[in-house]
Amino acid sequence: IGIGSAHGGESGSSGSQSGSGSSKVSIKSVYVSPLTRARHTLELLRSSVPRGPDAPLVLPPPSEDVILPNLREIDLYSWQDRTKDYLRERHPEEYAAWKKGDPNGVVVDGRKPLLELWERAGKVWEEVRSAELLRDEELGEESRVLYSSH
């Protein structure tokens, strides 16, 4: 789970101050992966955050969550559910590239999953940024967003 703004800022000290002097972060939009565990993580967050006027984190209702397919986790194709030992043994060069984080060296079933993930992340950033910048103009304030993915 991450909190930021369409302008590239992070949560930290950017929350507004409530009357009691405590920091309060008001989230305008929630973007979530379609994966069950990402949605479950978001549910856990919602259930653990105090509610009411003095709540440190204010979230929109779940009915307003935006599900973004590109927030899903990396697709590792035939590597999915394989052990490290299996990959190290059967795909030593690709596994070594994975450990180094070499996006061009990690080739699985003829695809480059790291590059695919980065491409999807870029699409998410552009989609969210465009939507939130429009919202910011309408509201006249900088929106805070929350992402939930795995």
Side-chain angles (χ1 to χ4, degrees), residues 34-102:
L35 296 178
T36 302
R37 67 175 182 268
R39 293 166 61 182
H40 180 70
T41 299
L42 182 56
E43 289 171 17
L44 289 172
L45 172 72
R46 277 197 167 103
S47 68
S48 68
V49 172
R51 291 179 169 79
D54 294 329
L57 179 65
V58 180
L59 296 167
S63 61
E64 294 180 20
D65 291 353
V66 178
I67 297 171
L68 294 180
N70 281 328
L71 276 177
R72 71 189 184 282
E73 65 190 16
I74 192 168
D75 191 342
L76 294 174
Y77 307 101
S78 64
W79 283 20
Q80 200 71 31
D81 299 322
R82 300 289 185 180
T83 65
K84 293 176 187 177
D85 290 337
Y86 174 91
L87 296 173
R88 202 174 10 249
E89 195 176 290
R90 296 217 168 74
H91 306 281
E93 290 178 22
E94 292 88 348
Y95 183 76
W98 172 264
K99 294 301 284 182
K100 287 191 294 189
D102 173 10

Side-chain angles (χ1 to χ4, degrees), residues 6-7 28-29 128-144:
H7 302 276
K28 301 294 184 201
S29 302
V128 170
R129 188 166 188 267
S130 295
E132 294 303 319
L133 288 175
L134 283 174
R135 174 184 227 147
D136 291 355
E137 287 177 14
E138 291 172 5
L139 297 175
E141 62 184 45
E142 186 175 321
S143 296
R144 293 280 175 251

